[in-house]
Amino acid sequence: MHPTTAPAPPSPVPPTVPAVEVVDLRRRYGSFEAVRGISFEVHPGEVLAVLGVNGAGKTSALEVLEGLAAPSGGSVRVFGRDPQHERSAVRRHLGVLLQASGLPGDLTVAETVRPWGRTLTDPRPVGEALEMVDLAGRADVRVRSLSGGERRRLDLTLALLGRPAVLVLDEPTTGLDPESRRSVWTLVRGLVDDGAAVVLTTHHLEEAEQLADRIAIMRAGRIVLAGTREEIAATQPATITFTLTADAPALPSLPGVRAHTRRPDVELHTRALQPALTALLTWAAEHRVVLAGLQARSASLERAFLAVADAEPAAAEPAAADPAA
């Protein structure tokens, strides 16, 4: 890809309202409620990453935002407009990347992009759009002959073609190799720097860490954690792990530290990593104790995500943890 290519500015948009506003959104399939009252805002120049295990309700929520489905309750607005009932007004601002597009395999890449562009108000030139995702050299190749990663980049081309002010990206880097994934991150960040608002889902926690200004973690249709990466990581303790020999003295009581010991293995949890580690190393030096395999890990987004994924529903879904981000 060519991440150094400067994206054209998004189309003019109303300046006084959020790019995306979701209020108490609910979505039901018969008696099953897949989305259970979620709220968030995304502003121009901002990325919100929505995380969650399969079945958490991420795609069901995005389909309402994309105008592909009606909410069962609550509201969704894109620059103050309803994406389903005011579709023509929203469409000029919205670029959508679905999990799977199902593009016709018999058309070439260029033949796929050109007619799509004719439906848009101010499309990018086909060559420019393909250059952005490193497909310029594949313009005359039929879609069925593309690799999985190339097809995903073609999907992204279509999402970017209309110079959208709001991008909805459902697992945008699925099937991409690490180099292409990072190029997509650079491309998306360039669009955001130029004022675009982005809502994305991803199973790659590194992707959320690299791209997102704010993160919302869903479980069973609700947002149970929301905030910056640092705020979410801070909900979990840091850990210190090591192994003790059989003749080592008993561990002292360390302030603010919870110990889980199954000799010879020891795991300590703390929200003040540096003081706890300092106290532990001081004790070990004074008693000539070897802390074999000593590792200290700061709190992380991964630990917070896994804590949500592993939590019992009653513990993971308190109403107060479903904030407007």
Side-chain angles (χ1 to χ4, degrees):
M1 295 189 187
H2 299 272
T4 57
T5 302
S11 304
V13 294
T16 58
V17 295
V20 174
E21 184 180 31
V22 175
V23 179
D24 196 27
L25 174 63
R26 297 177 180 272
R27 188 175 176 196
R28 297 183 184 87
Y29 300 87
S31 61
F32 174 67
E33 193 170 34
V35 182
R36 304 169 62 191
I38 69 171
S39 300
F40 60 82
E41 291 183 358
V42 188
H43 295 267
E46 184 177 39
V47 179
L48 174 71
V50 183
L51 308 181
V53 298
N54 290 335
K58 306 183 299 297
T59 297
S60 292
L62 290 194
E63 286 175 348
V64 179
L65 173 56
E66 294 156 0
L68 301 177
S72 303
S75 65
V76 173
R77 295 292 183 269
V78 176
F79 292 113
R81 305 277 192 148
D82 186 314
Q84 187 173 60
H85 296 111
E86 299 176 273
R87 190 168 181 80
S88 61
V90 169
R91 190 172 181 273
R92 71 188 64 181
H93 302 306
L94 191 63
V96 174
L97 176 67
L98 303 176
Q99 280 190 21
S101 60
L103 296 172
D106 290 336
L107 298 180
T108 68
V109 168
E111 289 169 345
T112 300
V113 176
R114 284 194 196 101
W116 194 277
R118 295 189 193 106
T119 70
L120 302 172
T121 304
D122 181 27
R124 302 177 191 274
V126 171
E128 175 190 324
L130 294 178
E131 185 79 13
M132 290 175 68
V133 298
D134 201 20
L135 284 178
R138 306 288 278 167
D140 296 326
V141 176
R142 296 194 185 280
V143 171
R144 65 167 174 261
S145 298
L146 298 177
S147 68
E150 287 172 333
R151 291 190 190 194
R152 196 59 180 155
R153 279 148 49 198
L154 178 57
D155 295 339
L156 183 58
T157 303
L158 301 181
L160 298 177
L161 195 60
R163 311 177 195 270
V166 176
L167 267 172
V168 181
L169 306 176
D170 201 352
E171 299 185 25
T173 61
T174 297
L176 297 186
D177 59 70
E179 181 181 2
S180 295
R181 183 178 299 136
R182 289 182 179 277
S183 294
V184 168
W185 297 348
T186 302
L187 175 60
V188 171
R189 180 46 67 184
L191 293 164
V192 172
D193 289 344
D194 281 338
V198 176
V199 181
L200 69 88
T201 70
T202 180
H203 286 295
H204 298 289
L205 295 184
E206 183 186 8
E207 186 160 280
E209 290 177 326
Q210 290 291 327
L211 282 180
D213 299 291
R214 289 181 297 111
I215 295 168
I217 302 179
M218 291 187 68
R219 175 185 167 90
R222 292 182 177 174
I223 294 175
V224 296
L225 280 176
T228 66
R229 178 185 65 182
E230 293 76 16
E231 289 168 344
I232 290 176
T235 64
Q236 299 299 309
T239 60
I240 303 170
T241 58
F242 53 91
T243 300
L244 288 175
T245 59
D247 60 349
L251 278 172
S253 176
L254 300 173
V257 174
R258 289 186 295 110
H260 300 272
T261 304
R262 290 184 180 178
R263 288 227 182 187
D265 299 322
V266 179
E267 181 174 303
L268 307 179
H269 293 175
T270 178
R271 295 187 182 276
L273 179 58
Q274 184 172 336
L277 188 58
T278 299
L280 175 66
L281 291 174
T282 300
W283 169 82
E286 290 174 350
H287 292 81
R288 302 184 181 227
V289 172
V290 175
L291 305 175
L294 176 65
Q295 293 187 5
R297 298 184 182 89
S298 299
S300 67
L301 175 61
E302 180 181 19
R303 288 182 63 84
F305 177 83
L306 292 175
V308 169
D310 294 341
E312 293 295 327
E317 300 172 17
D322 195 10

